[in-house]
Amino acid sequence: MISSSRNSVSDFDYLSKDHLKEIQWQKFETVLQHAYDNGPWYHAQLDQLKLKPSDIKSFDDVHKLPFISKQVLRDTYPFGLFAVPMDKIVRFHASSGTTGKPIVVAHTREDLAVWAEGVHRSLLAYGVGPGDILQNAYGYGLFTGGLGLHDGGQALGVTVVPISGGNTERQVMLMRDFGATVISCTPSYFLHIIDKAAEMGVDLRELPIRVGAFGAEPWSPEMRQRIEAEAGIKAYDIYGLTEICGPGVGAECVHQDGTHLFEDHFYPEIIDPETLEPLPDGQVGELVFTTLDRFAMPMLRYRTRDLTSLVAETCPCGRTIRRMKRIRARSDDMIIIRGVNVFPSQIEAALLHIEGTTPHYQILLTREFGGLDEIEVKLEVVQEFFSDKIKDVESFQKLVRHEIHRITGIHVKISLVQPGSIPRSEGKAKRVIDKRVI
Ligand code: ADP
Ligand code: ZN
């Protein structure tokens, strides 16, 4: 396996700060003008603020531009943020919204190339290259993980095994039979693969697998340690979000000390989530991105809700692009369960579709160390239910489970509890109790 952690594509990881800024600014001017000229939504926003693209004269003026929140993507569903005609759009992806309607993101052919480059550079940063076999166990489909790693892996020239998620026994079998050297999936799914392999009598440490590209959900240093020890691989972070493209917005390098952001494509800012004022490098706040060269649906100052801080110093790997610290929290109520984004309001909406439920519920998240996320919804039901026969209770639970699955795509456990037993709160209700060990 000959892998070099550098090629001509990754040269942009090593530019001087001034050169990088120059490139960023050139791209920024172009994309802002494009959004204004071709995206009716962006045009209306700037008009409302009495701004013209030419009023933004340097990055110091960027704060004058409005933010884009997830709500904007919901309000403009499905096509309201597009800034190119449909005949330039070659693919849609989507991620969960709050009410059953997803967030839609469109890509031109060139947008897809930018995204693939992000993944390509991520894999390079891990020391992966042609000759490596990538078992891509991220889900294929509207979710960005599968096709994101697929396109980026192919762009770099590794051998991609498009196995998608699930069917864990087959994952282990093919990993062994094909001699996969790299695996990509959520870290929690990989823990499941580790357990399944043990059950099948396969010792992953004996296999050629040596690198994991793990992301789409938060994970901890403890989880990394466990994965590395049990599977005999190096576990690296890959970060991204559907609105900006998908995985490959940033990735760790072999030093595993922060996730490098591919800033020449995705311009990051950190803001105070309360005051919305920009914060300097080193301070923790909400990460905001501007896509510098995506045209189907440019994201200008998109609020990710991810809380982190940026590190400006050159990394020991030589990369000058900034790193972000591990994401540990979000500033909204989105929860990520087995890599699927879920909002408590979706669960609430599902519950309220069903007769006999009350608006009093709690979402309990658990994950035994090394296990998969489990989600239980505790639900108060009207008194009558407790006098009914058990059989009715079971069919009622099934109905609730189906409805939640229909809206969120996840399977939950339902427990019915006595009316009045869920603690009432005087302020914001604590809907989510997250006991997961990550
Ligand atoms: P993805 O397809 O990458 O999961 P989504 O749009 O569904 O994209 O979810 C994006 C969110 O997932 C991010 O805003 C962040 O909260 C979380 N996320 C993605 N990658 C990571 C990561 N490596 N570490 C922590 N959180 C992550
Ligand atoms: Zn580095």
Side-chain angles (χ1 to χ4, degrees):
M1 212 71 36
I2 312 294
S3 316
S4 153
S5 64
R6 228 180 135 153
N7 69 14
S8 58
V9 174
S10 68
D11 281 351
F12 291 95
D13 293 353
Y14 303 90
L15 300 175
S16 72
K17 294 273 183 206
D18 286 345
H19 192 179
L20 174 65
K21 200 129 210 188
E22 227 172 87
I23 292 174
Q24 286 173 317
W25 180 247
Q26 238 171 26
K27 290 186 180 184
F28 187 84
E29 278 189 306
T30 308
V31 81
L32 179 60
Q33 192 67 49
H34 163 75
Y36 184 74
D37 292 343
N38 303 298
W41 183 88
Y42 305 95
H43 197 106
Q45 289 292 307
L46 264 69
D47 278 358
Q48 214 174 23
L49 293 165
K50 304 204 171 14
L51 277 177
K52 294 263 181 279
S54 55
D55 294 329
I56 310 298
K57 295 189 180 7
S58 76
F59 280 116
D60 294 337
D61 294 330
V62 165
H63 67 95
K64 294 181 183 163
L65 293 172
F67 292 104
I68 301 181
S69 64
K70 231 188 204 345
Q71 189 59 42
V72 169
L73 282 104
R74 290 179 198 127
D75 294 344
T76 55
Y77 173 86
F79 300 159
L81 281 180
F82 293 5
V84 296
M86 198 61 81
D87 64 3
K88 294 278 181 291
I89 292 174
V90 298
R91 202 196 289 164
F92 289 157
H93 276 277
S95 153
S96 346
T98 35
T99 53
K101 294 271 194 215
I103 298 291
V104 178
V105 175
H107 303 259
T108 65
R109 198 180 300 282
E110 294 73 25
D111 294 343
L112 287 180
V114 167
W115 177 15
E117 189 193 304
V119 175
H120 174 156
R121 283 160 67 179
S122 302
L123 293 169
L124 273 177
Y126 311 149
V128 168
D132 272 305
I133 299 176
L134 167 67
Q135 179 158 335
N136 184 17
Y138 277 117
Y140 279 63
L142 287 171
F143 173 62
T144 54
L147 284 164
L149 267 290
H150 184 99
D151 287 352
Q154 283 190 184
L156 169 60
V158 304
T159 309
V160 178
V161 182
I163 189 165
S164 194
N167 203 339
T168 313
E169 224 163 276
R170 193 176 55 155
Q171 299 276 357
V172 175
M173 182 183 83
L174 293 192
M175 190 183 293
R176 182 186 54 199
D177 296 351
F178 293 176
T181 52
V182 186
I183 175 96
S184 49
C185 58
T186 59
S188 55
Y189 186 55
F190 191 66
L191 291 172
H192 194 51
I193 294 181
I194 290 178
D195 288 346
K196 181 59 77 178
E199 232 177 88
M200 293 164 68
V202 175
D203 185 350
L204 295 181
R205 286 167 300 196
E206 309 276 295
L207 301 186
I209 190 89
R210 64 182 181 86
V211 165
F214 300 122
E217 64 184 6
W219 55 305
S220 59
E222 294 75 20
M223 175 105 118
R224 170 173 8 237
Q225 264 173 15
R226 173 168 166 168
I227 288 176
E228 293 194 335
E230 296 198 4
I233 65 172
K234 283 297 209 183
Y236 296 114
D237 188 47
I238 186 158
Y239 168 80
L241 58 165
T242 309
E243 293 84 349
I244 301 305
C245 59
V249 172
E252 275 179 334
C253 66
V254 294
H255 293 275
Q256 297 179 318
D257 186 18
T259 298
H260 285 284
L261 297 175
F262 301 113
E263 306 188 65
D264 51 314
H265 294 302
F266 316 110
Y267 177 75
E269 294 174 75
I270 297 286
I271 60 159
D272 180 319
E274 302 295 327
T275 66
L276 308 183
E277 291 301 317
L279 293 174
D281 287 340
Q283 283 198 30
V284 176
E286 181 180 330
L287 185 58
V288 169
F289 281 111
T290 295
T291 55
L292 294 175
D293 42 16
R294 290 178 48 82
F295 290 89
M297 196 170 143
M299 281 292 130
L300 307 174
R301 308 194 84 206
Y302 178 72
R303 290 186 61 180
T304 65
R305 296 291 183 167
D306 291 324
L307 300 177
T308 182
S309 60
L310 298 182
V311 179
E313 289 81 49
T314 301
C315 180
C317 74
R319 284 177 178 75
T320 50
I321 49 174
R322 280 178 288 177
R323 285 167 282 162
M324 69 170 185
K325 296 273 193 191
R326 202 171 267 280
I327 294 167
R328 288 196 167 256
R330 293 180 52 87
S331 64
D332 64 6
D333 60 353
M334 187 175 95
I335 45 188
I336 304 178
I337 298 161
R338 302 182 179 192
V340 179
N341 302 346
V342 178
F343 291 88
S345 55
Q346 286 180 295
I347 292 184
E348 184 169 300
L351 295 178
L352 297 176
H353 285 163
I354 296 165
E355 207 184 324
T357 60
T358 72
H360 302 294
Y361 64 93
Q362 237 171 15
I363 301 165
L364 188 67
L365 299 172
T366 49
R367 178 197 289 160
E368 283 185 28
F369 197 76
L372 280 177
D373 296 343
E374 298 298 340
I375 171 166
E376 176 182 348
V377 176
K378 286 190 174 176
L379 171 63
E380 278 184 22
V381 285
V382 294
Q383 189 65 51
E384 288 76 44
F385 265 97
F386 288 95
S387 45
D388 283 346
K389 290 187 268 354
I390 285 293
K391 183 167 160 285
D392 293 342
V393 171
E394 275 176 9
S395 65
F396 180 77
Q397 284 175 320
K398 202 166 150 197
L399 185 71
V400 178
R401 266 205 310 275
H402 270 142
E403 189 56 17
I404 292 178
H405 182 255
R406 191 181 69 78
I407 291 191
T408 63
I410 55 166
H411 294 283
V412 304
K413 186 176 159 211
I414 304 289
S415 344
L416 304 182
V417 298
Q418 291 284 352
S421 62
I422 289 179
R424 305 295 197 254
S425 96
E426 294 182 347
K428 257 170 148 7
K430 186 154 173 58
R431 294 290 187 206
V432 183
I433 300 181
D434 197 343
K435 293 189 168 163
R436 292 178 292 184
V437 183
I438 59 168

